Amino acid sequence: MSQNTEQLLRSIMEKRVLIIDGAMGTEIQKYKLQESDFRGELFKEHGSDLKGDNDLLVLTRPDVIFNIHKSYLEAGADMIETNTFNATSVSQADYKLEHIVYQLNVEAARVAKRAAVEVAALQPDRPRFVAGAIGPTSKTCSISPSVERPDFRNITYDELVAAYAEQTRGLLEGGVDVLLVETVFDTLNCKAALFAIEQVFQDGPYPRVPIFVSGTITDRSGRTLSGQTTEAFYISVAHANLFCVGLNCALGAEEMRPFAKALSKVASCFTHVYANAGLPNALGGYDQDPAQMAAFMKSFAEEGLFNMVGGCCGTSPDHIRAIAAAVAGVPPRVPPQIPRTLRLSGLEPLVFTPELNFVNVGERCNVTGSRAFANLILKNNYEGALKVCRQQVELGAQILDINFDEGLLDAHFAMTKFLCLIASEPDVSRLPIMIDSSKFAVIETGLKNVQGKCMVNSISLKEGEADFIKKGKLVRQYGAAVVVMAFDEEGQATSTERKFEICKRSYDILTTKCGFPPEDIVFDPNILTIATGLEEHNEYAINFIGAVKQIKEQLPYARVSGGVSNLSFSFRGRDSIREAMHSAFLYHAIKGGMDMGIVNAGNLPIYENIDKQLLTLCEDSIFNRRPDATDALLLYAEQSKQKGQDAKEAVVLEWRTKPVQERLSHALINGLVDFIDADVEECRLQVARPLEVIEGPLMNGMSIVGDLFGAGKMFLPQVIKSARVMKKAVAYLIPFMEKEKELARLNDPNAAYAEQKHAGTVLMATVKGDVHDIGKNIVGVVLGCNNYNVIDLGVMTSCEKILASAKEHNVDIIGLSGLITPSLDEMVYVASEMERAGLKLPLLIGGATTSRIHAAVKIAPKYSGAAIHVLDASRSVVVVRNLLDAATRQDYIDEVAQEYVEVRADYLQTLSNRVYLPLEKARSKKAKVDWAAVNITKPTFLGTRLFADYPLEKLVDSIDWNPFFAVWQLKGKYPNRGYPKIFQDKTVGQEAQRVFNDAQRMLKEIIDNKLLKATGVVGFYPAHGVGDDVELYADEQRTTPLATLYGLRQQLENENSEVYQAYGDFVAPRSSGVADYVGMFAVSAGFGIEQLEQRYQQQHDDYSVIMAKALADRLAEAFAEVLHEEVRKVHWGYARDEALNLDDRLKVKYQGIRPAPGYPSQPDHTEKRTLWSVMDVQKQTGIELSESLAMYPGASVSGLFFANPHAKYFAVGKINRDQVVDYAARKKQPVEDIQKSLGPIIGYE
């Protein structure tokens, strides 16, 4: 080609979608070739069967391969792949043809090139390209072929590099235009191929050609065969300066969509997709016809998911022809601008975002840092060493440091074996690895055994610049990030100036002479030991922090790390002192810019929790504030030695010496399950029947719990833990009671068996259309603790099921729960149906949107029985007890009924006293905006963008914990009302801290084990304000409305405001001549919550059920918060310079708002349907909308984004009939339906 291939390809792929060919194997099968075809004359006498060695046909039947190439080119392919998928010595060894591999690749390239030249000659304005296909081989470098030997590999990295280098040389000699490493199911194999390709280019004489890489997601879990996620795979191979990266094989187009989408978001280069023709059928064939596959690929193209498309297994020239026609004219994907930051990977990605905060590098898998680990390795106890590894992960390590620098060890053997074992441990191998050694050869050994993008610890200028450059280039070629120590030819830097000087020199060399991106450079400016008694050591900590600040200010994108334990080395054996020193030092170093550190994450005390005297002494040493700092620390250590540990343990276990009945009460009151089975069994053996254990000591204990809770001496979380103990105890007894029943029936079939006596039976349900049940579950637990039998029908419960179950179980009370506004109408309906059915059971009403006023005004008049609002769980027992006590029942019902008569009267009087502006007058008082002066930013994209499987760890720092404590009914008193001040409250502070700690543990488990999944979608649309409403448009032509967001305007007269708002006021009208936009979103963090609930329910653990739901809700709200911030700063970008902390964000100090349908700014829940329709929310995210407009999973949030500075949150408040009629006309709905959906804000009878 006359023009540089890379430039030519780039110019084409920026203008249109490039077409690559389809399957070779299925086309070869159509020729029905026999053994003789594969042998030809060249291999007539070969000693092994050759049929099936398709690559061999380039030598024995080149006409067949040429014709297949030509048919794809004529069908519209711009690029064809050489027939060399298995043309390596590794794969050809199966046929004993290793010796012809180079010849195979040369000839395959020439055959393909000849076809491309011939077809291109007929269309000179459309160049054709040949991709040298490099397959994965039949062996894996990351996976053991033996279940019994997880550390075994059937091939080495070096063997793969040699095989791939030979293949690469042959393909380049034959004249391929690009190299395509494809069908990557093991990323380490791919990295070996990329290493070999780079080596061939360096050795010459071949000019560089563009490199394409194509991964294979093996199933719908979204991972490669070797376990990596799509993003982790890309991060692992991105170092090779890829021209194009994509996915092929294993999946059909429909199944591949989410993973292609994920890749298109993170890849800064071009991307491609060539999927199978659907999934294989029962006979191994593929059924998706060309038209079906082309339709899928067109939708991919319209979403902007790729720059090149083709086919894999089961596709033919007809498929390629249809695909080429379908994507013709569709603009190609525009590669995104990916922020420059350090990206590492294990099985999963670790991206250093601003939200990531400090990264813990686990230090215990280092024989120089952990004597216990070293002893395990020296004794060849690798299983024990793996346990240390797992513990590091469980304790919060985000990167694992691996080091085998021990004189008695074969470090190469140990490094290889241990890394291979780690690869078989998904919980461990999901983390990136830090290969740590003072011997560079051992580092290389490590790099050859890790598929993810790791870190090398470390290199330095100690051996001179030439050695540094050589090692830097090799680390880059292996695809790792690098830690650089502050050493040079003169030795270790100790002063701030020397530390920075060496780091600056290293940075310049790596970026200019080694091709290292600065974001892959991590400096370790040497954390040295302080408090040694030597004066020259006293400034070491200060110097480190000073160097950190200079590095972050003057070396763009570089990161800073350090070995934290070095700091306190002089206090060996005094762990409490060392841990406090580490925590205090990190607190200040992180503020200075330190990004990560090698530290035992599980042993770091929280800075705020360090004893104040000890903290002062530590900081005296760190900042060299007093000359006797070391002596003062030593004195503190002596004075604070723990004494009397044996006595303490004796106190802790003293309750175990008491009679079993007292032990059971103690366990129930304190929520202790450790001994419950043994104690219940001991008690069972002392009584005549197992039921007596329940009705005796267990119920006695729960009665104490109920009394303490009622008196405010126990808090809700403690009560729920007590219920967990009770459930476990009862679960232990159930088999014995069932056996007793069976024996009773055998002895006397007509005999009645005494069941447990309950104080009454309460049926509870979340009403139809609603999926929220945390509050209901809490009430159920509290009632259960008070010996009430609770029948919980769950969520989305129809009226028919509620009434039928009430009759079936002969219940005493029915309790209804709901969170969303439409649930109020459903409760009214249930009440009226209970009346129609002639029921007289007390009806309890509860939930976030319910109120005493609503119960009195809307529900009680529909039902002649008692309808009573219950404020929260703490009131439920009192209400139920009054209703079921014959002595108090009627008086209590009469009292509530009279109270509700008064509430209704007050409500109606309030309505009559309210003054409403006529709608038109309210509209005339809308905010006056000079739109010409408003700076409106166009979003970075229009349409939708999916945020699939959003990392939960990115949400944690944005959690608003105040609603969490409200769930547990823990409320501090002024000045300790909110989080974190609640921990200081004298009444609830200790319990709030305990619950919070439990939440942190569960949150860590959820994140570490991916027990919940967060997914969301954001959309941006051209928009104009039209009166109270907002019109959305499909494109910038703004001619035909895509949808209308209907708004409601404030009408209730307000003496304090001259402005009456609707959210149509927040978007520029068409008459302004200003092009404006509106965003919308829907997110959920509740995928997986049902499985988590089931797990805890099977363990009889109500406390954890409620905790999991509460955390899912918090994560969903945090997801909305994080996405809104990303919208403001990135996706819409109208506040790119915003720098607000979480407290400021929760106080809405940012520009713009995110109101939600069903909430004060637009109380109409039916508007959610517009969001779901416009963004196709359910299809994109899986978040469903019930007929009553509840989102499922329940831990979901949706809403709108308004960006303009004058957009502020407001409450519509009550509205009058004229607005309801007008609103109904605009929505083209009956007034009666509108009144139903707007019930809570209707200001008239």
Side-chain angles (χ1 to χ4, degrees), residues 33 253 294 305 419 426 441 479 529 576 590 615 632 640 697 731 772 858 866 892 908 978 992 1031 1066 1103 1184:
L33 302 178
L305 299 189
L419 290 175
T529 306
S576 61
I590 291 167
L615 178 60
S640 62
H772 301 88
K858 298 291 186 180
Y892 180 71
L908 293 173
E1031 277 190 356
F1066 300 156
Y1103 178 74
E1184 300 174 20

Side-chain angles (χ1 to χ4, degrees), residues 118-156:
E118 184 174 310
V119 174
L122 302 175
Q123 293 178 291
D125 59 337
R126 186 173 181 183
R128 307 302 171 105
F129 303 91
V130 173
I134 300 174
T137 81
S138 54
K139 298 186 178 182
T140 61
C141 219
S142 292
I143 306 170
S144 172
S146 169
V147 175
E148 294 77 17
R149 296 176 57 196
D151 59 319
F152 174 68
R153 299 293 183 270
N154 58 11
I155 197 164
T156 67

Side-chain angles (χ1 to χ4, degrees), residues 908-927:
L908 293 173
Q909 182 62 44
T910 302
L911 285 182
S912 65
N913 291 340
R914 287 173 178 161
V915 177
Y916 296 92
L917 267 65
L919 179 59
E920 289 308 317
K921 185 172 182 180
R923 284 171 173 165
S924 71
K925 289 178 173 287
K926 73 177 185 178

Side-chain angles (χ1 to χ4, degrees), residues 944-965:
T944 60
R945 180 167 292 175
L946 182 66
F947 294 81
D949 205 2
Y950 197 92
L952 295 180
E953 57 269 22
K954 291 185 179 181
L955 308 180
V956 174
D957 289 341
S958 293
I959 289 177
D960 178 3
W961 288 104
N962 288 309
F964 171 81
F965 293 111

